[in-house]
């Protein structure tokens, strides 16, 4: 089961759980606002799900193929993982959503008993699959595993996710490049809203699983508003901001969040997809975001990059060959507290896969701890000071720093 | 720290530890015979080391490059691992024994606090390295990593192992094919005995680390005797039988063990190198062997082969795609008790490395449990019945069974 940090335990005592939220038969996901940071408006909150309670803002490790790469569910629990994400497209292609339904759902299949969010599959259809062709009905494509022709529509995305049984499902949207023409984006936004309506109608288990809408609109303020208003009309249990962190600058992302979040309901969770950089996590929380996910921590771990309080460490670098200090004394995962940098360096140099496990768990714990500390900073109305300290320590203020 | 099975805990109570063995300043490895099986002569015993007490007969997982592949020290502890083996040749080549000495020794470097046995490096010089050339002095070769010229002698093997700080060190011997001429084997055996003398002289830490001799002689009874007698004259703290499990038949191995073990001191541990097949483990214990090691369980695990009470399972086989039974209800490792065969099948098919961890830990636990049960069978004087049951269940009696 999920484990809570000391501060999260304190929050549980300070703000007792609401009985009516715990047992609401109709709403599988309920957001509770606990505190608004005085200087920024950042939200300290709580999400009730059928698989546990999580505090926000929070970060979700990504388990693409029903496994967070190189990390076991037991490892996830040990570092206080609250929520994970898994990818609809990958599970649909292999092993198939029917098989996972037969297994009793994704939680049971992968033995993760905390909440799970699944994406719609749309992003991978654009980034991984071949020959994709979009129409009002959906997307035709050939999958990246065996090249078979497949068709993804709002209804298919729901059927798959209903089979997976995730706590939060995402509507199918179109993943578009950031810099598209106004007309293209406008058409795409309008279609995404129509797809959201179809998704809501197709949703077979609304009392068990919460469908989130995805606000698109690239950098166009009026289109973000159009998107948000169309989706909010559908009264979905949560909303995501999509189409960010796809190559635009951080300033641009913050600019879009600044106005987009204002149109998102305050009584529902707000999710920013695909973000894990420490500065972006803090800056987005400042703008009112509650949920994040990204493959970054586990992906860079597999190449030996560690995220630490004091910035990036590339453990394969020769300087660590005889560095007998702990991997990261500030981070409480098993590996960081037990092995030296020299040992982890050796594991990577010798292609011993234990190294990938140690580095992956480490990076996840770094981010989960950052979020725990962020929640505490929000509670204490010290988020600006927290931001300055984290960025200074991590090296954001150094010229030419390679951060990841 | 090492964890003991219930039966081993019972043995600890039944046969209280000997104070004088625990605190012997001169002998880093002491063997204590607890019980001789009535019908076979198999030995239930105990080995005292500077890093803990282990019960025998026992099996040592192999951590070639200071890591049991895909398995963390914590995983090893959780399955009651008593003793592990690491490879001198690999550690010498990378990261280097000097570096491990600087790290405080191999136990500290890899964070395994139980006992460690290191081989001499000789076997890998013959199986992995290139251009090897043997002389009375030692072996010239080029290593398999960067092709650098290196020289391994009895003295160098001791220096490396003294740097590693293993509990049991092996003398350098010559690894020869099983079917060599009598004259070649005789010369080799005599040289191995001379090398053992040189090793003993070169040993810098005899009070901390126990040097074992290796009895060679292929299938020649008189040469096995010549080898054993020469080595026993040196009064080493333990002895291994080398040159078996290298392609000869099981009957041949048993034949050689039958006479060789008689010349090995009864008050010292007896180690058979490179064996993990269930029938060979039992048949060798019946002949008086106490210690075993082999890469087999972790190597076949990486290809998806699982050792179970009821024989081999190849988890990548299509029949397991929708088999929602536990991986192995009879084996108590975390993976086997929590995940289904269908999930493990999926992990292997999707190249998710968590699968290798689950399968590796599983196979090790299978073997460690087999040894635990074997010790209990010896204690109960029921080893023959135990052998029949294990072989029947595993499938040895089925025609054409693929066992591994």
């Amino acid at each position: 089961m999920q484990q809570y940090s000391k501060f999260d335990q304190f929050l549980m005592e300070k703000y007792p759980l609401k009985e009516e939220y715990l047992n609401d038969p109709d709403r599988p996901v309920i957001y509770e606002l606990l505190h608004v940071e005085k200087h920024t408006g950042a939200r300290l909150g709580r999400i009730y799900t059928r698989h546990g309670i999580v505090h926000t803002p929070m970060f979700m490790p990504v388990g693409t193929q029903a496994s967070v790469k190189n990390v076991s569910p037991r490892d996830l629990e040990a570092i206080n993982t609250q929520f994970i994400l898994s990818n609809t497209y990958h599970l649909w292609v292999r092993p198939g959503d029917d098989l996972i339904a037969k297994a009793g759902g994704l939680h049971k299949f992968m033995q993760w008993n905390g909440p799970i969010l699944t994406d719609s599959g749309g992003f991978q259809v654009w980034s991984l699959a071949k020959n994709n062709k979009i129409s009002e009905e959906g997307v035709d494509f050939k999958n990246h595993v065996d090249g078979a022709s497949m068709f993804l529509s709002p209804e298919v995305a729901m059927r798959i996710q209903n089979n997976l049984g995730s706590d939060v499902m995402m509507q199918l949207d179109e993943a578009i490049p950031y810099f598209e023409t106004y007309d293209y984006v406008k058409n795409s936004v309008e279609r995404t809203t129509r797809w959201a309506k179809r998704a809501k109608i197709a949703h077979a288990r609304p009392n068990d699983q919460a469908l989130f809408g995805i606000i698109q609109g690239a950098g166009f303020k009026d289109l973000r508003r159009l998107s948000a208003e169309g989706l909010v009309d559908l009264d979905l249990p949560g909303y995501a901001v999509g189409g960010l962190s796809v190559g635009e600058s951080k300033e641009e992302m913050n600019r879009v969040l600044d106005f987009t979040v204002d149109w998102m309901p305050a009584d529902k969770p707000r999710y920013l997809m695909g973000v894990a950089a420490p500065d972006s996590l803090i800056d987005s929380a400042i703008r009112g975001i509650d949920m994040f996910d990204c493959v970054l921590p586990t992906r860079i771990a597999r190449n030996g990059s560690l995220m630490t309080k004091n910035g990036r460490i590339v453990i394969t670098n020769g300087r660590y060959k005889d560095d007998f200090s702990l991997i990261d004394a500030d981070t409480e995962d098993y590996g960081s507290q037990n092995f030296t940098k020299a040992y982890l360096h050796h594991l990577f140099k010798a292609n011993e896969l234990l190294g990938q496990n140690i580095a992956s768990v480490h990076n996840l714990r770094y981010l989960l701890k950052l979020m725990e500390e962020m929640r505490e900073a929000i509670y204490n109305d010290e988020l600006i000071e927290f931001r300055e300290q984290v960025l200074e320590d991590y090296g954001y203020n150094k010229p030419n720093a390679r951060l990841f």
Side-chain angles (χ1 to χ4, degrees), chain A residues 17 49 64 78 103 107 116 165 174 196 215 224 226 234 324:
Chain A
L17 294 174
T49 81
T64 295
H107 297 83
I116 301 176
E174 184 187 4
I215 299 167
R224 287 280 174 186
L226 180 72
L234 297 176
F324 300 113

Side-chain angles (χ1 to χ4, degrees), chain A residues 312 394-404:
Chain A
R312 187 177 79 138
Y394 202 90
Y396 280 92
N397 301 332
K398 287 181 199 149
N400 305 319
R402 276 193 68 193
L403 298 167
F404 308 108

Side-chain angles (χ1 to χ4, degrees), chain A residues 318-329:
Chain A
R319 77 205 292 186
Y320 299 114
K321 189 176 163 60
D322 58 357
D323 182 337
F324 300 113
S325 63
L326 285 179
I327 292 171
D328 182 2

Side-chain angles (χ1 to χ4, degrees), chain A residues 170-299:
Chain A
M170 302 305 297
Q171 67 149 117
L172 181 64
D173 62 341
E174 184 187 4
I176 59 172
Y178 196 78
F179 298 103
E180 268 291 357
T181 62
Y182 182 87
D183 284 348
Y184 189 95
V185 177
K186 183 160 189 281
N187 282 333
S188 178
V189 158
E190 289 169 346
R191 184 161 52 206
T192 289
T193 303
R194 290 193 296 274
W195 281 5
K197 279 181 204 161
R198 284 167 54 187
K200 190 178 175 185
I201 292 166
H203 188 359
R205 301 172 60 188
N207 298 335
D208 300 328
Q209 301 176 264
L211 169 62
F212 280 26
I214 304 178
I215 299 167
Q216 292 282 359
F220 302 108
K221 189 170 179 179
D222 60 333
L223 297 184
R224 287 280 174 186
R225 182 165 193 166
L226 180 72
S227 180
E229 290 179 347
L231 294 170
V232 171
D233 275 350
L234 297 176
D235 191 25
L236 299 174
Y239 291 95
V241 185
L244 290 180
S245 196
V246 293
E248 81 288 1
S249 69
K250 297 201 170 183
E251 292 71 23
E252 179 65 10
M253 181 165 88
N254 289 338
R255 185 184 70 85
V256 171
L257 286 177
D258 272 330
F259 50 71
T260 304
V261 171
D262 286 343
W263 301 312
M264 299 172 81
D267 60 347
K268 292 177 179 175
R270 300 164 175 166
Y271 164 33
L272 176 60
M273 306 174 83
V275 164
D279 62 338
S280 298
L281 292 170
I282 302 175
D283 286 341
S284 305
I286 284 176
R287 287 161 178 81
I289 297 293
D290 308 305
M291 303 169 64
F292 303 92
D293 80 283
C294 192
V295 295
L296 177 91
T298 44
R299 179 169 289 169

